[in-house]
Amino acid sequence: MVVMKDTKRDILDAAEQLFAVRGPHATSLRQIIGRAKVNLAAVHYHFGSKELLLRAVMARRLVPLNAERLALLEGEERKSARRVMPLRNVLAALVGPALRLSRNPKKGGAVFMQLLGRCFMEPDPKIQAMLDNQLQEVAGRFIPALQRALPKLPPEDLFWRIHFLVGAMAHTMADAERLRAFSGGRCNPDDTEVMIEQLVNFLTAGFKAKSR
Amino acid sequence: MVVMKDTKRDILDAAEQLFAVRGPHATSLRQIIGRAKVNLAAVHYHFGSKELLLRAVMARRLVPLNAERLALLEGEERKSARRVMPLRNVLAALVGPALRLSRNPKKGGAVFMQLLGRCFMEPDPKIQAMLDNQLQEVAGRFIPALQRALPKLPPEDLFWRIHFLVGAMAHTMADAERLRAFSGGRCNPDDTEVMIEQLVNFLTAGFKAKSR
DNA sequence: CATTCATTCAAACGTTCGTTTGAATCAGGC
DNA sequence: GCCTGATTCAAACGAACGTTTGAATGAATG
């Protein structure tokens, strides 16, 4: 009674871990219950199905993450009052909270960041629909903010660049570790602030490119 | 033996198609032989295993693709002789041939482009190792070329930006179609030249960003 | 103590997976 | 016409998958 409902949290933690490393589709429920040390039927008892489990894993972290992004954006909007908000700050509000996850092990940490990146790249339409749904509000607030920060950029160019942003961000979240070996140790993906700095710096320049 | 057996090619074509749309891991051999209209055992008879089949699918297109990239780079190097090669041309030689695949249905077309993008994002270490192997030569030639085009950029920044490039390119190859809906029809992923232009333009500006 | 209700458990369900087998089929060389 | 080696075929293999079942467990209620 002192400790209650370890089972649900244990399943969520184990699923998050394994979904992130091997991808949701390549992870079996038996691997999850093996790591969580619970019974196989507990997954369906508490969550209903594998798909609903993934949804629960994502919602647990994504809801606060998106709230943080929106709060950061609103804060920036308040700060810059009637002036145009600097593009760099908009991008930092979008990208920063997600990449900073890896600094916060208590809230999911690098594990969830990797999972989020993986879900962006999952071909499964069910997973894509779930993500689109979870990110609808964020997109609806950030796209106008980007447009305001880049008033001269044609919408077509803007959408192409958002697409590139998503690719670069997702790949960085899902596979930052690959960069360590690829760069021959010159880059350290564990240094979150450098990572954010590099990505925001790159994206800011990309978004500011002259339209052709 | 004048022409390659229909069976082998039929399997390669069907596998390429299905691997690309659903991802290699989510595609079963039975789906492949159903589309190819061949016997199930034919896959193992001609290729040995599912993994070797994927390797064969990739090699068939990737070998000529990489050769084209290297030839394009060499051509640019010859053209600019002792001068510095423009960054834009290096990036175009790297990104162009891959994205232009979708214009060339006879050589795999958009289907293989999507598959290549998917493989970049596959968590499976076997697939990653295979890709790394296939791309080693290209990386070894393009990284110095990028360094020469950006002599003032610290190597750490360069590697971060290559990482972002890979993410943006892979996401564009694998999921360009998502952009059509996401942009409300404003972007047309079928127009390959616009796609290349947008990506190269974005990347060129990103690579040229001031180091911080 | 008896009852209740949420939770856990071992076991099995029916599918589907990648792979293997051994016989049937077909080609060309003698 | 038969032999040989390459290819195709239907059928089955064992393993793993997501899911379901029904009984055992345990704490709280009356």
Side-chain angles (χ1 to χ4, degrees):
Chain A
M1 188 45 168
V2 179
V3 196
M4 50 180 217
K5 303 206 185 234
D6 275 329
T7 304
K8 260 182 111 162
R9 201 170 44 83
D10 289 348
I11 294 175
L12 283 174
D13 290 343
E16 183 176 62
Q17 187 88 218
L18 290 168
F19 282 161
V21 174
R22 319 166 82 113
H25 197 277
T27 301
S28 75
L29 292 183
R30 284 171 174 82
Q31 293 168 340
I32 293 171
I33 63 109
R35 172 180 283 259
K37 296 196 187 75
V38 301
N39 188 270
L40 176 56
V43 175
H44 294 84
Y45 178 78
H46 287 288
F47 297 98
S49 73
K50 184 183 179 180
E51 193 202 330
L52 291 172
L53 170 61
L54 174 60
R55 215 192 293 271
V57 169
M58 296 302 292
R60 176 170 67 150
R61 315 277 189 205
L62 214 43
V63 169
L65 172 66
N66 285 338
E68 188 188 344
R69 290 207 254 222
L70 293 176
L72 221 58
L73 181 65
E74 273 183 41
E76 286 291 335
E77 274 170 346
R78 224 184 317 279
K79 257 203 295 183
S80 44
R82 293 177 180 277
R83 301 186 309 281
V84 183
M85 196 189 322
L87 172 65
R88 176 177 298 267
N89 297 6
V90 184
L91 292 173
L94 181 61
V95 165
L99 296 196
R100 232 179 297 268
L101 276 172
S102 57
R103 293 239 295 189
N104 203 339
K106 281 282 146 35
K107 286 188 178 177
V111 172
F112 178 70
M113 185 181 75
Q114 186 176 18
L115 173 56
L116 187 52
R118 289 239 181 283
C119 285
F120 269 107
M121 302 158 169
E122 270 285 335
D124 184 349
K126 287 268 187 70
I127 294 179
Q128 284 195 18
M130 187 245 293
L131 253 195
D132 285 357
N133 210 58
Q134 292 268 25
L135 296 176
Q136 209 168 357
E137 193 186 355
V138 172
R141 298 275 285 115
F142 271 87
I143 291 174
L146 287 170
Q147 229 147 9
R148 259 177 275 125
L150 293 162
K152 292 180 193 160
L153 189 68
E156 186 196 343
D157 296 56
L158 180 68
F159 280 106
W160 273 108
R161 292 173 189 189
I162 294 174
H163 188 78
F164 303 145
L165 175 153
V166 169
M169 184 175 68
H171 186 233
T172 301
M173 292 193 295
D175 282 308
E177 200 52 43
R178 280 167 87 164
L179 181 55
R180 193 192 306 278
F182 174 66
S183 69
R186 270 176 284 253
C187 300
N188 175 21
D190 294 335
D191 191 333
T192 310
E193 292 310 315
V194 166
M195 181 163 77
I196 295 173
E197 177 65 37
Q198 290 279 1
L199 181 54
V200 171
N201 197 31
F202 180 83
L203 293 175
T204 304
F207 270 85
K208 280 185 176 165
K210 262 191 303 200
S211 177
R212 295 201 152 215
Chain B
M1 200 52 102
V2 178
V3 277
M4 172 159 53
K5 264 332 205 176
D6 277 331
T7 303
K8 259 182 114 164
R9 200 171 43 84
D10 289 349
I11 294 174
L12 284 174
D13 289 344
E16 183 175 63
Q17 186 88 217
L18 290 168
F19 282 160
V21 174
R22 320 165 82 115
H25 198 278
T27 301
S28 74
L29 293 182
R30 284 170 175 82
Q31 292 168 340
I32 293 171
I33 62 108
R35 174 180 281 259
K37 296 196 186 72
V38 300
N39 188 269
L40 176 56
V43 174
H44 292 84
Y45 178 77
H46 287 287
F47 298 97
S49 73
K50 184 183 178 181
E51 193 203 330
L52 290 173
L53 170 60
L54 174 60
R55 215 193 293 270
V57 169
M58 297 301 292
R60 175 171 67 150
R61 315 278 189 203
L62 214 44
V63 169
L65 173 66
N66 285 337
E68 188 187 344
R69 291 206 254 224
L70 293 177
L72 221 58
L73 181 66
E74 272 183 43
E76 286 291 336
E77 274 169 347
R78 221 184 318 277
K79 256 203 296 182
S80 44
R82 294 177 179 276
R83 299 186 311 280
V84 184
M85 195 188 325
L87 172 64
R88 176 178 298 269
N89 297 7
V90 184
L91 292 173
L94 180 61
V95 164
L99 296 195
R100 233 180 295 269
L101 275 173
S102 57
R103 293 240 296 190
N104 203 339
K106 280 282 142 44
K107 287 189 178 176
V111 171
F112 178 71
M113 184 182 75
Q114 187 176 17
L115 173 57
L116 186 53
R118 290 237 180 283
C119 285
F120 268 107
M121 301 156 170
E122 271 284 336
D124 184 349
K126 286 268 187 70
I127 295 180
Q128 286 194 17
M130 187 243 296
L131 254 195
D132 285 357
N133 209 60
Q134 291 269 24
L135 297 176
Q136 210 167 358
E137 193 186 354
V138 172
R141 297 276 284 116
F142 271 87
I143 291 174
L146 286 169
Q147 229 147 11
R148 259 177 277 125
L150 293 162
K152 292 181 194 162
L153 189 67
E156 186 195 342
D157 297 57
L158 179 68
F159 280 106
W160 275 107
R161 293 172 190 189
I162 294 174
H163 188 79
F164 304 145
L165 175 153
V166 170
M169 184 176 69
H171 185 234
T172 301
M173 291 193 294
D175 283 307
E177 201 53 42
R178 279 167 87 165
L179 181 57
R180 192 194 306 278
F182 174 67
S183 69
R186 270 175 284 253
C187 299
N188 175 20
D190 295 333
D191 191 334
T192 310
E193 291 310 314
V194 166
M195 182 163 78
I196 296 173
E197 177 66 37
Q198 289 280 0
L199 181 54
V200 170
N201 197 32
F202 179 83
L203 294 175
T204 303
F207 270 86
K208 280 185 177 166
K210 263 191 301 203
S211 178
R212 294 205 152 211

